[in-house]
Amino acid sequence: MAAAAAPAVLKSVCRGCHGGCSTLLHVQDGRVVKVRPAPGSPFNLGQMCPKGLAATEIMYHPARLLTPLKRDGERGGGRWRPVSWDTALSEIAERLTRIRGESGPESIAIGQGTGRHHYLHTVRFANQLGTPNWYEPGLAHCFIPRITVSNLTYGAFVGADYQGEVNPKTIIFWGHNPIVSGADGELSFPVRRALKRGSFGIAIDPRRSETAALCQLWLPIRPGTDAALALAMAQVIISEELYDREFVQRWTSGFEQLVAHVSGCTPAWAAAITGVAAADIEKAARRYATDKPGVIEWGVALEQNPNCLQNVRAVALLRGLTGNLDIPGGDLLAAGRLRPYPVLREALSSDALGKRIGAKDYKLLGGFRAFMPSAHIPGVFRAMRTGDPYRIRAFLMIGNNPLVTVANAKEVRESMLCAELIVASELFMTPSASLADYVLPAAYWPEVNQVVELPYVMETGVVAQQRVVQVGECRQDEEVMIELARRMGLPGAAESLEDILDHRLEPLGLTFEQLKAQHLYQPPQEYRKFEKGGFRTPSRKVELFSKGLERLGYDPLPTHREPPESPVSTPEVAGEFPYILITGSRRREFFHSEHRQVPSLRKRRPDPLAEFHPVVAERHGIVSGDWVWVASPRGRIRMKALVTADIREDVVNVDHGWWFPEREPPEFGVWESNANVLTANTPPYDPAFGSYQLRALLCRVEKAE
Ligand SMILES: Nc1nc2c(c(=O)[nH]1)N[C@H]1C(S)=C(S)[C@@H](COP(=O)(O)OP(=O)(O)OC[C@H]3O[C@@H](n4cnc5c(=O)[nH]c(N)nc54)[C@H](O)[C@@H]3O)O[C@H]1N2
Ligand SMILES: Nc1nc2c(c(=O)[nH]1)N[C@H]1C(S)=C(S)[C@@H](COP(=O)(O)OP(=O)(O)OC[C@H]3O[C@@H](n4cnc5c(=O)[nH]c(N)nc54)[C@H](O)[C@@H]3O)O[C@H]1N2
Ligand code: SF4
Ligand SMILES: [Mo]
């Protein structure tokens, strides 16, 4: 017998989260047999997290979907029949064409998941279909507000300089826990290295998170009050004259207005709102303004509430005041090296644009000035359920599990039951995919070709993700959408994925094949790019006062607004639900609703957790490991108690993303421990983005028998 061939070792990039770890994939007989971190990448420094290292377990999991499925019997009945790709795609194309013809393209909605390889292609597909109604459960609540605000304020997105010669002296982690949640603009590994090299860490977080534990200063903020804290820091920086006088004078506009605006926002004022000691607010402000260069690592916690725009703006202004922008070891302006993904915005008719659900109300989510215009989630599901303002008849889920990741999950289910056609592209059968008519088997990251920007949106570097194997009949989402576009005769259908990748890479003088061969493209970092022609805002300056926002009818200067459900704004609700609920703090082992079926990951974190202080535990006779009910005015879920002193005494933190793949389909126990049973998708929303409240809600805890 001939000896087996030695494995080929191919370089790619992990996308188990938003991605970025350079990886060596060992391939033997058409299978990935081993996944190891590749040495030499400045982004992951020869390391990977447990999710990435579990890639083979995920790819070859016995429950992985390997062939297209068509529903047999009633919707949600859990009975399926395997069909060929050709049958599935021709039936789907035919039904979509009919619905589009009868009710207009806007009657087709697309729900996609967070920042995956197919993200921009899904936007393209929506435009090709001519529907303005696509969403992502992050969007209004994740990242897009940070990008939009950066664009409005500095003319570009910003991210910390961990690659250069100068280590940041100060890092503020604001509602962000990158030691666990990288990559969302950065990767955990360079953050840890910066702290090891001596950065002074300041964490603004109701919990002493894994990141806060590595910091010198922890500001345990009351959830939902971040704008007040940021305004007070601005007040300290201004009144103590710690701002960068030269930078402010030369490179900012609206300073005088800001000075007047924050004059009353003293540390004492903010201490009463945020629960953070005034002396600590002063310490943080002084440190960031004077121990330069400094960076602000801002997280999703700023965005998951109805003061989203102004929370993010208030924090953004601190960079401008201190001149910590585009300097070595500071927050850098995004490079913009690649051609934008050809999302074919021009294919969307003006009639369709006018019909985008929520666009008129939430102008930075769906309007003309939006960075990545999309529809308002509560409105999309309402339209599906009620036909108001028109009926959504078809729903395509591309890597999205809305029964678990969208607020008010029960209403999502009710809405989906009203849709006529549901298609899911998925790795595994999920509670959401269980409601579909067709479930298409999607490729996982080692089975995918893409160009990856690192860090996400920053484009400091560009890396090739390459398909090294084929698993079952699984197909890369982009190619499925390309094929549907072709069968439906949609605009742009002739362009292949390779054409698109080559088009994006053109400014680098590379083709996708060439990038694959060299893996990483990373030119030297350029600093102070604004000195050549200014910031890319209308005033060519950092806009402390935003005329752009004013024109759209939004506050040009940030203000604090109390969350709509809180001990302060709804004391009557707080009587029955006395604790402040935060949901979804990331766990290293899971990506949102993923991985509960992966033994090596589930073993490390077998149960859904609710985290609270010993004072709370004692009050209710609970010890760590007890099962508890966490209830909000909307429902209750069963969680395992994790009692810890590393959290404010008035806060309960619950995991999000839980369902139980080991339980009976089609529901897989999705109502038992799902944080989005507790959350609200009702108004008031953030006036610009339409964000609803996922954090800083009210709850109570009691022991479950
Ligand atoms: N309560 C609460 N809710 C939240 C949050 C919170 O903090 N609290 N966070 C919100 C945020 S910020 C986000 S971004 C969203 C995330 O929301 P989602 O993106 O919906 O969540 P995931 O569970 O990551 O992904 C959904 C599905 O995508 C599938 N999948 C993974 N990779 C691929 C692929 O390449 N192709 C295809 N077709 N499918 C794939 C997975 O199997 C999974 O079932 O959740 C939001 N929901
Ligand atoms: N392992 C893993 N990594 C991930 C993900 C995942 O699911 N798993 N998801 C990815 C996605 S889509 C995203 S959006 C990012 C999110 O990653 P991060 O931005 O780091 O967000 P979280 O970990 O959800 O929350 C960060 C911190 O905010 C705190 N917090 C809660 N409420 C408030 C508040 O009102 N104010 C302040 N200041 N802090 C608050 C929480 O205690 C938590 O420690 O992670 C990405 N990376
Ligand atoms: S941090 Fe993200 S990219 Fe890196 S190994 Fe983990 S899942 Fe993969
Ligand atoms: Mo997100």
Side-chain angles (χ1 to χ4, degrees), residues 475-493:
R475 284 196 193 174
Q476 176 170 353
D477 298 279
E478 292 89 320
E479 287 173 344
V480 175
M481 290 184 267
I482 287 170
E483 181 57 22
L484 277 173
R486 194 187 64 76
R487 288 176 189 239
M488 293 177 72
L490 302 177

Side-chain angles (χ1 to χ4, degrees), residues 380-674:
V380 169
F381 285 108
R382 191 185 331 110
M384 209 178 280
R385 198 170 63 248
T386 66
D388 171 32
Y390 47 80
R391 194 165 291 280
I392 300 269
R393 294 175 59 188
F395 182 41
L396 315 179
M397 292 183 288
I398 319 282
N400 178 209
N401 192 0
L403 250 53
V404 187
T405 56
V406 167
N408 195 349
K410 293 207 161 147
E411 196 180 271
V412 170
R413 179 173 186 277
E414 238 177 83
S415 310
M416 284 176 66
L417 287 176
C418 301
E420 198 176 309
L421 171 67
I422 302 180
V423 179
S425 173
E426 254 303 344
L427 304 170
F428 292 96
M429 188 57 75
T430 66
S432 308
S434 295
L435 295 179
D437 301 277
Y438 297 88
V439 182
L440 307 176
Y444 199 49
W445 64 261
E447 305 148 42
V448 163
N449 286 323
Q450 251 307 347
V451 167
V452 184
E453 311 158 10
L454 285 182
Y456 208 51
V457 184
M458 283 298 293
E459 298 186 24
T460 304
V462 179
V463 201
Q465 173 181 11
Q466 67 166 316
R467 177 181 301 157
V468 301
V469 291
Q470 169 76 40
V471 174
E473 293 177 35
C474 300
R475 284 196 193 174
Q476 176 170 353
D477 298 279
E478 292 89 320
E479 287 173 344
V480 175
M481 290 184 267
I482 287 170
E483 181 57 22
L484 277 173
R486 194 187 64 76
R487 288 176 189 239
M488 293 177 72
L490 302 177
E495 245 179 324
S496 70
L497 180 60
E498 186 106 41
D499 293 339
I500 292 171
L501 301 185
D502 285 347
H503 164 85
R504 291 206 75 196
L505 288 168
E506 219 171 275
L508 312 187
L510 291 170
T511 62
F512 182 61
E513 280 305 311
Q514 287 165 330
L515 182 66
K516 241 164 59 174
Q518 76 178 61
H519 180 63
L520 169 69
Y521 169 89
Q522 193 193 18
Q525 182 61 51
E526 267 183 75
Y527 297 102
R528 296 192 171 83
K529 297 184 278 294
F530 56 86
E531 285 181 349
K532 290 183 257 161
F535 289 86
R536 280 179 279 156
T537 58
S539 63
R540 312 312 285 172
K541 293 179 175 180
V542 171
E543 303 208 337
L544 301 176
F545 180 98
S546 174
K547 289 209 174 112
L549 284 177
E550 191 180 42
R551 266 195 300 276
L552 290 170
Y554 302 124
D555 290 344
L557 287 164
T559 35
H560 163 68
R561 263 204 316 179
E562 185 60 30
E565 180 176 307
S566 89
V568 176
S569 52
T570 53
E572 68 293 353
V573 181
E576 202 185 331
F577 300 95
Y579 302 113
I580 303 170
L581 173 72
I582 57 176
T583 70
S585 305
R586 308 309 185 229
R587 303 293 188 190
R588 198 173 271 118
E589 294 75 11
F590 302 130
F591 199 72
H592 300 288
S593 73
E594 290 184 63
H595 307 328
R596 300 323 187 269
Q597 63 279 77
V598 181
S600 71
L601 299 173
R602 182 72 180 272
K603 190 172 70 193
R604 296 163 64 120
R605 202 172 280 281
D607 301 307
L609 297 178
E611 219 174 330
F612 42 84
H613 197 273
V615 166
V616 177
E618 201 169 312
R619 195 174 295 143
H620 302 284
I622 298 166
V623 295
S624 258
D626 280 351
W627 285 101
V628 296
W629 291 111
V630 179
S632 81
R634 291 153 294 274
R636 67 173 194 176
I637 57 175
R638 194 170 164 270
M639 309 295 275
K640 193 166 248 189
L642 174 64
V643 179
T644 168
D646 289 335
I647 189 167
R648 281 173 61 105
E649 291 181 16
D650 55 356
V651 170
V652 174
N653 173 49
V654 302
D655 289 352
H656 97 119
W658 273 90
W659 58 288
F660 300 91
E662 68 276 18
R663 304 252 184 101
E664 275 296 297
E667 293 211 318
F668 300 101
V670 69
W671 307 117
E672 191 169 309
S673 306
N674 177 351

Side-chain angles (χ1 to χ4, degrees), residues 17-18 51 114 142 146 174-178 180-184 204-207 209 221-226 298-301 582 584-592 695-696:
C17 62
H18 293 146
K51 292 184 297 302
T114 180
C142 172
R146 275 169 279 170
W174 205 312
H176 189 28
N177 184 16
V180 166
S181 64
D184 195 21
I204 300 171
D205 197 310
R207 304 182 308 135
S209 67
I221 190 170
R222 175 164 71 88
T225 64
D226 297 276
W298 49 2
V300 81
I582 57 176
S585 305
R586 308 309 185 229
R587 303 293 188 190
R588 198 173 271 118
E589 294 75 11
F590 302 130
F591 199 72
H592 300 288
R695 302 188 187 197

Side-chain angles (χ1 to χ4, degrees), residues 326-348:
D326 227 28
I327 56 170
D331 273 315
L332 304 179
L333 299 166
R337 299 184 199 287
L338 295 173
R339 279 241 178 83
Y341 203 92
V343 295
L344 305 181
R345 257 195 206 207
E346 63 283 3
L348 204 60

